[in-house]
């Protein structure tokens, strides 16, 4: 683990910000209703809170992974620059150079592998955050609609 990642972790601990606990129900599947009328207002509210908890947690994880990606990208670029400086490759495309460096240098290969894995994880996490936000918005609109009906009715 690069020293920068440890430094960020230490700084976050020093801030002593309250963290969101892992929500209950992680790893379980839940049903998102295709007909919100099947849910009572209480069940709708519970589902809203559950989705909010999932989204809050995934946003926290996204922040941590984005921080790692930023650091790994910087370390990777520094290692490539050093490798280019120490070796004469003549004219070569940057993709070809990066591939050659990753095959030839174990440290570059390891950092690149960690970086690619974190970038892929980040894509998945962001898709979950987006899904939770869309579901929250839909359920919230339904709850507001019900509130309006009660006022009018």
């Amino acid at each position: 683990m690069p020293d920068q990642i440890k430094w960020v972790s230490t700084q976050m601990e020093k801030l002593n910000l309250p963290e969101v606990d892992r929500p209950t129900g992680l790893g379980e599947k839940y049903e998102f209703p295709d007909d919100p009328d099947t849910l009572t207002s209480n069940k709708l509210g519970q589902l809203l809170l559950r989705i909010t908890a999932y989204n809050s947690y995934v946003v926290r994880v996204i922040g941590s992974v984005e921080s790692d990606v930023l650091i790994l990208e910087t370390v990777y670029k520094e290692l490539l620059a050093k490798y280019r400086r120490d070796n004469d490759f003549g004219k070569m495309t940057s993709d070809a150079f990066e591939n050659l460096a990753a095959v030839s240098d174990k440290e570059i290969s390891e950092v690149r592998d960690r970086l690619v894995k974190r970038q892929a994880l980040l894509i998945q996490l962001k898709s979950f955050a987006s899904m939770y936000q869309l579901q929250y918005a839909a359920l919230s609109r339904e709850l507001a609609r019900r509130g309006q009906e009660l006022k009018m009715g």
Side-chain angles (χ1 to χ4, degrees):
M1 176 185 313
D3 290 339
Q4 299 93 329
I5 293 175
K6 290 178 188 172
W7 182 87
V8 170
S9 295
T10 301
Q11 295 307 304
M12 289 302 296
E13 287 173 15
K14 285 180 182 178
L15 290 173
N16 208 22
L17 295 171
E19 289 188 36
V20 177
D21 281 338
R22 289 176 53 97
T24 57
L26 284 181
E28 298 173 9
K29 294 189 184 266
Y30 68 94
E31 241 184 88
F32 189 79
D34 50 1
D35 179 5
D37 287 335
T38 61
L39 295 176
T40 65
S41 292
N42 283 344
K43 291 287 183 192
L44 185 60
Q46 289 171 349
L47 186 54
L48 270 168
L49 287 175
R50 187 175 181 189
I51 289 172
T52 299
Y54 295 160
N55 190 58
S56 297
Y57 183 70
V58 81
V59 166
R60 187 187 107 207
V61 174
I62 285 170
S64 178
V65 174
E66 281 183 333
S67 176
D68 288 358
V69 165
L70 174 73
I71 291 166
L72 289 169
E73 284 175 340
T74 302
V75 169
Y76 182 63
K77 288 176 187 175
E78 289 171 353
L79 289 171
L80 286 175
K82 181 182 181 302
Y83 190 76
R84 185 179 296 275
R85 186 188 67 231
D86 293 348
N87 299 282
D88 181 27
F89 294 102
K91 291 186 177 188
M92 183 182 290
T93 67
S94 58
D95 284 346
F97 168 73
E98 284 186 37
N99 289 330
L100 177 65
V103 169
S104 304
D105 186 284
K106 184 178 178 187
E107 186 178 13
I108 291 173
S109 177
E110 289 172 358
V111 170
R112 181 168 130 168
D113 183 58
R114 289 180 64 197
L115 175 59
V116 168
K117 287 176 181 174
R118 294 275 190 331
Q119 288 169 328
L121 176 61
L122 192 55
I123 290 168
Q124 292 291 313
L125 289 168
K126 286 181 176 182
S127 74
F128 269 78
S130 179
M131 176 189 67
Y132 294 141
Q133 291 162 4
L134 290 169
Q135 290 179 347
Y136 179 89
L139 294 173
S140 184
R141 282 192 303 275
E142 173 60 19
L143 202 56
R145 183 190 67 79
R146 289 180 185 188
Q148 288 292 356
E149 282 182 359
L150 283 176
K151 284 182 184 178
M152 295 171 66

